[in-house]
Amino acid sequence: MRKLVGIGVGPGAADLLTLRALRYLEQADHIFIPLNRGKSRAYDTVKEFVDDEKVVFLDFPMTEVTAAHYKKAFDEIDDATKEGELSCLLTLGDGTIYATLIEVLAAGDGTDFETELVPGIPAFLAGINGVVESLTKKGESFLLTDHLDKAIPPMDTIALLKTTRAEESAARLQAAGYHLLYLEEIETERWVASADPANFAGRKQYMSLMIGRRRPWNMAAIQKHTKGRVRIL
């Protein structure tokens, strides 16, 4: 039997990889990693732990990905993985949250694969932990999304991923009564944060996150907790 393991590698920090992920990376016969315009943060995350001879890059545009892209990737994995071998497919964050990984697994006939998923730490959890704040409390409602509907639902907290339209999103969330926290390039040397829309409205960073919360953010505490790790805009 062949085995295919999807591994979430977290937001991009090598020390946030799980022990299970490291064990499978060590055991793998093939390690498949999505590549976007010649770059891969997933590879940068794991490169010190993997044998490069096992690495196979899958060319993926991170926008306008079609079913054909997913099927082609699955076919490459299928062709390379021989009987008794273990292949790993990597993704940033967690493989079940807006991830290429789960789409690839669903694109082909995997009936002769034993399949497993290894959880990864998603950026919204790494981000909120990094600023030592509360995402949601008992009795509160929470929404994770990659877009805002025309009518914003009345949640206590909304986490909006990939905020390339920061100015528009900030205005809409503020109008709906939310206090905002913007996070960009989480767990990297370029990590920035801001609660002032005037300072982040014009930014168009794909690797970003905006959290709207009914409760105000304590920026004085955030600055204290993140000193030396996060630049406050």
Side-chain angles (χ1 to χ4, degrees):
M1 189 71 171
R2 303 179 298 167
K3 186 164 185 174
L4 176 55
V5 177
I7 298 177
V9 301
D15 60 352
L16 290 182
L17 289 165
T18 67
L19 293 175
R20 186 178 302 176
L22 291 173
R23 173 166 57 85
Y24 275 127
L25 289 172
E26 182 179 349
Q27 296 173 354
D29 297 290
H30 313 282
I31 300 171
F32 293 89
I33 304 177
L35 194 65
N36 178 35
R37 299 177 183 175
K39 298 179 181 180
S40 173
R41 186 175 295 191
Y43 172 71
D44 292 340
T45 304
V46 304
K47 62 185 179 182
E48 64 182 286
F49 306 111
V50 301
D51 180 351
D52 276 347
E53 292 185 359
K54 298 178 179 181
V55 173
V56 181
F57 290 109
L58 301 171
D59 191 20
F60 264 102
M62 297 313 286
T63 57
E64 299 181 6
V65 182
T66 66
H69 288 108
Y70 298 130
K71 181 64 164 60
K72 182 175 182 292
F74 181 89
D75 288 344
E76 287 188 49
I77 297 170
D78 191 20
D79 290 343
T81 311
K82 309 305 179 188
E83 185 65 26
E85 289 187 336
L86 166 65
S87 285
C88 293
L89 173 60
L90 274 52
T91 191
L92 281 176
D94 181 86
T96 66
I97 301 174
Y98 301 115
T100 297
L101 185 155
I102 201 71
E103 301 290 349
V104 172
L105 295 185
D109 180 7
T111 53
D112 61 343
F113 276 110
E114 179 187 349
T115 307
E116 183 178 336
L117 292 179
V118 176
I121 297 172
F124 72 94
L125 291 182
I128 200 69
N129 277 273
V131 298
V132 196
E133 270 280 356
S134 167
L135 184 66
T136 185
K137 293 183 176 181
K138 184 177 180 180
E140 293 182 342
S141 55
F142 169 66
L143 172 67
L144 175 69
T145 183
D146 66 347
H147 71 285
L148 291 176
D149 290 331
K150 194 168 186 179
I152 296 176
M155 312 297 286
D156 293 299
T157 303
I158 295 178
L160 175 65
L161 304 180
K162 307 166 187 175
T163 54
T164 53
R165 296 182 175 180
E167 187 169 358
E168 176 188 335
S169 299
R172 293 187 62 203
L173 286 169
Q174 279 192 304
Y178 291 95
H179 299 277
L180 304 183
L181 179 66
Y182 174 83
L183 301 169
E184 178 182 295
E185 294 282 5
I186 293 164
E187 287 290 345
T188 74
E189 295 177 353
R190 301 174 299 281
W191 191 348
V192 299
S194 179
D196 183 355
N199 292 333
F200 63 76
R203 303 179 77 91
K204 298 183 182 296
Q205 173 58 248
Y206 181 81
M207 303 300 289
S208 61
L209 165 70
M210 192 181 300
I211 303 176
R213 200 175 70 176
R214 300 293 183 186
R215 292 177 282 116
W217 300 96
N218 186 340
M219 286 308 294
I222 288 175
Q223 285 184 301
K224 177 183 176 182
H225 294 318
T226 62
K227 188 175 181 180
R229 295 184 298 112
V230 182
R231 180 167 64 93
I232 306 297
L233 297 177

